Amino acid sequence: MNSRKLQRDAKLEEQCSVLADIIVAIRPVYSKATLGQRTLLETTIGAAIWYIPKPLEAWTGRMSIGALKIFHPESGIQKPKFSEEHVYPRKVTARLLLEDQSLDGTSLGTLFREKYGRLHFITPDENKSVQPYQRVGVFTTPDDAYAKAGIVLIEVANHELRLVKKRDRNIIERYLNSQSA
């Protein structure tokens, strides 16, 4: 691992440690809070989660067919962009962490690397369409939320992501055609 990656990993650990301390410290406030106050606390913790550095292997290897389509050279979109979609919505994650009685910095670091810091690539429009299914009280599983929003995720080889971003017609068409077969 190079120096930059080690620094990033150390920063992730440091931030997970302090965030876990904050979560543990506010848990008594959370437990007696009104619904509106809980929502504020979940939003606050969810925002903090956004600022933790992404794990070295944040991308799950999955992207939506819609994301592949907007990167196709004939999509008509001049500068396509992915939305980095957290597999687990941040507010849902916040609630789960606030309820996790065994939480500490080490366990949060592990959870963040393996679950809560992981990302799929979808389109900005898909990001908006999945949000109603990712709300606290509605969310059940990541796959269920995507299915309800009509988003189909497929596996893309890590080494081919760069080619998708460069709008390589052959790579993109191979993935798209494999879905229609």
Side-chain angles (χ1 to χ4, degrees):
M1 210 181 297
N2 69 31
S3 172
R4 191 173 194 194
K5 288 181 180 178
L6 286 172
Q7 288 174 340
R8 179 186 191 108
D9 197 54
K11 186 174 181 181
L12 184 151
E13 285 296 326
E14 180 181 79
Q15 290 187 2
C16 283
S17 177
V18 74
L19 182 56
D21 289 346
I22 291 168
I23 291 168
V24 169
I26 68 166
R27 194 173 286 135
V29 174
Y30 182 78
S31 68
K32 65 180 183 177
T34 66
L35 182 59
Q37 291 169 328
R38 282 180 172 227
T39 298
L40 173 63
L41 293 171
E42 291 164 0
T43 300
T44 302
I45 298 300
I49 289 166
W50 177 254
Y51 290 102
I52 295 174
K54 290 183 192 94
L56 297 175
E57 300 296 327
W59 182 48
T60 63
R62 295 174 75 192
M63 75 172 43
S64 71
I65 290 176
L68 274 170
K69 287 179 179 178
I70 67 168
F71 273 82
H72 192 284
E74 293 176 14
S75 70
I77 298 171
Q78 293 298 316
K79 295 183 179 182
K81 293 190 182 200
F82 296 127
S83 279
E84 292 181 344
E85 173 69 19
H86 277 89
V87 175
Y88 281 83
R90 293 189 314 268
K91 280 183 69 174
V92 170
T93 298
R95 177 176 281 187
L96 294 170
L97 294 174
L98 282 159
E99 295 171 352
D100 181 351
Q101 298 300 315
S102 65
L103 186 72
D104 63 15
T106 301
S107 65
L108 180 54
T110 300
L111 285 167
F112 194 76
R113 280 187 190 83
E114 295 175 2
K115 189 173 184 179
Y116 300 134
R118 304 296 310 271
L119 307 166
H120 296 317
F121 294 137
I122 63 176
T123 69
D125 287 341
E126 289 170 331
N127 190 355
K128 290 177 187 139
S129 72
V130 75
Q131 287 176 1
Y133 308 105
Q134 294 179 318
R135 299 196 190 297
V136 171
V138 173
F139 180 82
T140 54
T141 67
D143 288 340
D144 182 59
Y146 294 117
K148 286 178 178 173
I151 298 169
V152 177
L153 297 169
I154 63 169
E155 297 285 332
V156 173
N158 200 21
H159 68 279
E160 291 181 328
L161 177 61
R162 182 178 53 82
L163 297 170
V164 169
K165 288 179 179 179
K166 288 186 174 193
R167 306 184 85 172
D168 183 294
R169 175 188 308 271
N170 293 329
I171 294 295
I172 293 169
E173 287 181 357
R174 188 182 79 218
Y175 280 107
L176 292 175
N177 290 337
S178 72
Q179 294 306 301
S180 60

